[in-house]
Amino acid sequence: QVQLVESGGGLVQPGGSLRLSCAASGSIFSINTMGWYRQAPGKERELVATITSGGSTNYADSVKGRFTISGDGAKNTVYLQMNSLNPEDTAVYYCIAVVRPKAGVQYDYWGQGTQVTVSS
């Protein structure tokens, strides 16, 4: 089993910054990709950003230039630095990890979610 523990959410004013962290632990042979999705009230869950084990990143158009994803392979941890936040970024942010518990097998694991609220 694999556990993802997220931290760093909270309330921030428009224009402010937050940094989310997500640490994976458990039965991990290797991690292919880690990243973040978000879900706002009444909306579908959407991709925010991902990073592969090789360091390749992918961002939603809505966050390009404002958010930066990074990872620490030794700690199985992914970070999301969020700058210039606006009310449209308000959502529950979910960490995802594509994990190989052993060679040849791959599963997606999700964190419990952390609330980010951007409001004055």
Side-chain angles (χ1 to χ4, degrees):
Q1 189 65 300
V2 174
Q3 297 80 39
L4 300 182
V5 178
E6 302 151 334
S7 61
L11 173 64
V12 64
Q13 293 186 342
S17 298
L18 282 175
R19 187 186 193 218
L20 305 183
S21 299
C22 173
S25 63
S27 301
I28 298 172
F29 174 71
S30 65
I31 296 179
N32 182 321
T33 302
M34 294 188 76
W36 297 90
Y37 281 67
R38 67 185 181 187
Q39 187 166 19
K43 295 187 177 181
E44 293 186 354
R45 191 173 297 190
E46 63 176 3
L47 170 74
V48 177
T50 60
I51 184 167
T52 69
S53 57
S56 297
T57 58
N58 182 44
Y59 294 93
D61 288 343
S62 60
V63 307
K64 284 181 181 177
R66 300 188 298 124
F67 291 10
T68 302
I69 191 168
S70 61
D72 184 335
K75 297 181 179 179
N76 291 333
T77 299
V78 65
Y79 307 96
L80 185 68
Q81 178 66 43
M82 305 185 293
N83 298 327
S84 301
L85 285 160
N86 58 62
E88 289 69 39
D89 296 314
T90 295
V92 177
Y93 284 69
Y94 295 92
C95 176
I96 182 172
V98 181
V99 176
R100 298 186 186 94
K102 59 182 179 180
V105 179
Q106 182 169 286
Y107 299 107
D108 294 351
Y109 293 91
W110 291 88
Q112 79 283 359
T114 185
Q115 177 70 47
V116 171
T117 302
V118 185
S119 175
S120 56

